[in-house]
Amino acid sequence: QVQLVESGGGLVQPGGSLRLSCAASGRMVSIIVMGWYRQVPGLQRELVAGISAGGRPNYADSVKGRFTISRDNAKNTLYLQMNSLKPEDTAVYYCNAGGAAHYWGQGTQVTVSS
């Protein structure tokens, strides 16, 4: 089992920045990839950014150049630095860890509004 706890969400004005963190615990040796997803009510959950165990990132086109994903394997923590935020980035953001199974955090709300 793996437990994931997100933090860092909140209300920010357009153009602002936020940094999300995901603290992981448990059987991390089984985890290969980690990522951030987001979901707006009524829509499917979508991948925002993912990162392999070796640190190779991938991003949704909508966030390329604005968001940066990183992971600290020693601290079992995943990060998402979000810059130049837009109102359309408003969503609940979820941390995901995957290997033999997939695990999800409880989510953290990000609201971009003036």
Side-chain angles (χ1 to χ4, degrees), residues 84-97:
S84 302
L85 282 160
K86 304 176 181 180
E88 52 263 43
D89 294 318
T90 295
V92 178
Y93 284 70
Y94 296 90
C95 177
N96 173 270

Side-chain angles (χ1 to χ4, degrees), residues 20-82:
L20 304 183
S21 299
C22 172
S25 60
R27 192 171 171 78
M28 291 301 296
V29 66
S30 67
I31 299 304
I32 299 172
V33 295
M34 297 188 76
W36 290 96
Y37 288 72
R38 66 187 180 188
Q39 189 168 23
V40 175
L43 299 180
Q44 285 189 330
R45 193 170 296 186
E46 64 174 1
L47 175 67
V48 176
I51 188 167
S52 66
R56 178 178 298 177
N58 65 282
Y59 299 95
D61 288 343
S62 59
V63 306
K64 282 181 180 177
R66 300 189 297 122
F67 291 10
T68 302
I69 189 171
S70 60
R71 63 190 286 180
D72 185 332
N73 290 330
K75 295 182 178 180
N76 286 335
T77 302
L78 181 71
Y79 303 98
L80 185 68
Q81 178 66 44
M82 304 186 294

